Structures are given as C-alpha cells and as structure tokens.
Amino acid sequence: MRITAPIFRFCILVGIPFPSLVSASEPVPQVKPLSLQDHTSFLEGVDLPRAKPHVSAVNYSNEKATSALSPTCEIPRAIFSQVLPFDGERDGDAACGIADPIELTGFQQEGSKARFTAPVTLSCSFAKVLTDWLIDDVLPAAGDLFDSPVSVLSSGPGYQCRRRNNQPDGKLSEHALGEAIDISGFRLDDGSQISIEKDWGTDTVKGRFLSAIHASACKRFSTVLGPDADPNHKSHYHLDTGCHGKTCTYLICQ
Ligand SMILES: [Zn+2]
C-alpha cells in the first residue's frame, strides 16, 4: 500500500508508528466500487465491516441495556428517533455500543429537508457535530454552487461493531461507538448526483463543492479521510471525532 505524505507527516508530528492501515506487511484490500445506494460496503482503512445490527426503538431487548432511554437528545435541526442504549455483547464485542444512540434520518432548515438514503445509527453527541456540519457548511456550499438544494445524502450505517484489520485485538473503530460516518455522495433536488468517487478532484463545480466541504469537515471532525488518504477511501469521506495524540488535539485531514 502506498504510504501517503500526509500520513507520514502526521506520524512524525505525533511520534507514533505508522497506523495499521499503512502497514507494509498488509495486503492491499480489494475495494469494491460503491453505488450511491450501497449502505453496507464502506471500508475504513482495512476494516472489514460486519452486518449492521438491527436497532429498534420499540422492540429492542438486551439484558444489559438500561430500561429507559438515555437523557434526552436534543438536536433541533435534525430529524431522528432516540433508541435504547446498547452495549456490544449482542455483536460479540463488549467494547462496542452506544450510551446515547439515535437513528438519524435527516435534517431540516427553514422549510427545506434532506434525508439520508437509510437511517443512520449514531451517538447523540456525534450526530450534533454532523448536523452542524451538514446544515452550516454543506448546505451553504451547495447553495453557492448549485441551482438546486441538497435533498439526499448517501452514507454508510454509522454504527458498526468492528475493529481495524478485523482482528479481535485490533484497535476499535470509531464506528463501533457510533462516533463515525461514511458519506459517499449527495443528490440534489433536481435529481443530479454528486459522487465522491466520480467527482472528487475534477475541475468542475461538483469537484469544487466536494473540496470545499472536505475542508470544512476538517474544522469540525478530528478525522477526515477522503480519496487522497488511501485507496479505501476513494469513494467516500470517513468522518469521526476520535482522539489522536495524548491530549486529543491532533487532527487527521486527508
Ligand atoms: Zn468509516
């Protein structure tokens, strides 16, 4: 796998070994092209995603789950339902789980609405950061560049109980805590599509839009991985709020 200059600079900066995703001994994973509707095939580094577990606000049962919802999640501009907290035992890894989970279906601002292709399971705190980015950065950028507003976001499922390299003792993915999302594209109200895989890096309005929102994401999330990061991200942005460095002040923006 190619070791990118940004990763090299980051590792030098924080004084850590190269992360596992750039280990020279690992085979380059096969990356399947994603359609905008594909909701289950996102890869982070060389993670191998497991199936998304079912989460229900009505029927979900877990002996370790509390009997009540976590404290009320308030995200005024988001459209979501709150679900019961859950740990990772049902998914075979006790480290997984979300204490304040929600199912985020979209967001709204001044009469306009946009939705995800399918509900996304996230922690309330991460959903707040995501909603702020979408409404305060992504929508205005689209408004500046396109004649039609964003109506659909294509994304991964958010929560996925998995570890990097798919190894039992591998580093826990931020997806396993509901603190990450993968976004592959957008659909505008007029039906036109903006695809990270097809439009990233192009000298087009769509390309400029994708560059602008990648830059704005780096001001809100601690990890932003896009097509310039490595081949596994050629089709989507991975966004998370994970901790990097001893004081959690380092950012990865690629
Ligand atoms: Zn991801």
Side-chain angles (χ1 to χ4, degrees), residues 6-244:
I7 291 178
F8 181 81
R9 284 197 296 271
F10 170 76
C11 292
I12 294 299
L13 183 65
V14 301
I16 59 173
F18 292 127
S20 58
L21 64 84
V22 294
S23 168
S25 62
E26 289 172 357
V28 176
Q30 297 298 308
V31 180
K32 173 183 145 187
L34 299 178
S35 74
L36 284 178
Q37 302 302 321
D38 194 330
H39 204 114
T40 60
S41 303
F42 291 89
L43 296 173
E44 175 196 356
V46 291
D47 286 354
L48 300 175
R50 302 173 188 173
K52 181 190 176 188
H54 178 66
V55 178
S56 168
V58 178
N59 297 319
Y60 176 64
S61 63
N62 181 334
E63 292 181 0
K64 291 290 185 69
T66 62
S67 59
L69 296 175
S70 54
T72 302
C73 178
E74 296 182 1
I75 315 176
R77 300 181 293 180
I79 305 168
F80 67 95
S81 58
Q82 212 165 344
V83 296
L84 288 173
F86 58 92
D87 62 27
E89 287 199 14
R90 63 180 191 178
D91 299 321
D93 189 333
C96 299
I98 308 178
D100 57 345
I102 68 166
E103 293 263 317
L104 182 64
T105 55
F107 52 94
Q108 55 191 349
Q109 169 83 333
E110 296 176 355
S112 63
K113 280 187 179 180
R115 61 176 176 81
F116 291 92
T117 46
V120 181
T121 304
L122 299 169
S123 74
C124 176
S125 54
F126 182 83
K128 287 178 180 174
V129 178
L130 177 64
T131 299
D132 287 347
W133 175 65
L134 291 170
I135 293 181
D136 295 333
D137 295 343
V138 174
L139 290 188
D144 288 343
L145 294 169
F146 305 116
D147 295 329
S148 181
V150 172
S151 60
V152 178
L153 286 103
S154 297
S155 79
Y159 173 78
Q160 291 174 293
C161 183
R162 58 186 171 94
R163 290 170 180 264
R164 291 189 176 183
N165 301 322
N166 213 29
Q167 297 299 311
D169 57 351
K171 178 176 168 51
L172 196 68
S173 167
E174 292 299 316
H175 285 286
L177 304 173
E179 303 278 330
I181 191 169
D182 299 320
I183 291 181
S184 62
F186 306 86
R187 187 191 310 156
L188 304 183
D189 217 21
D190 65 7
S192 56
Q193 303 270 4
I194 303 165
S195 161
I196 290 172
E197 181 163 28
K198 294 178 181 175
D199 299 314
W200 172 263
T202 61
D203 185 18
T204 62
V205 174
K206 293 179 180 178
R208 288 194 287 279
F209 168 73
L210 291 176
S211 294
I213 64 171
H214 181 280
S216 64
C218 291
K219 296 177 181 176
R220 295 184 182 272
F221 301 91
S222 57
T223 310
V224 178
L225 300 174
D228 288 350
D230 61 62
N232 292 315
H233 296 86
K234 69 177 184 179
S235 61
H236 67 277
Y237 295 155
H238 166 92
L239 311 174
D240 75 47
T241 51
C243 172
H244 305 300

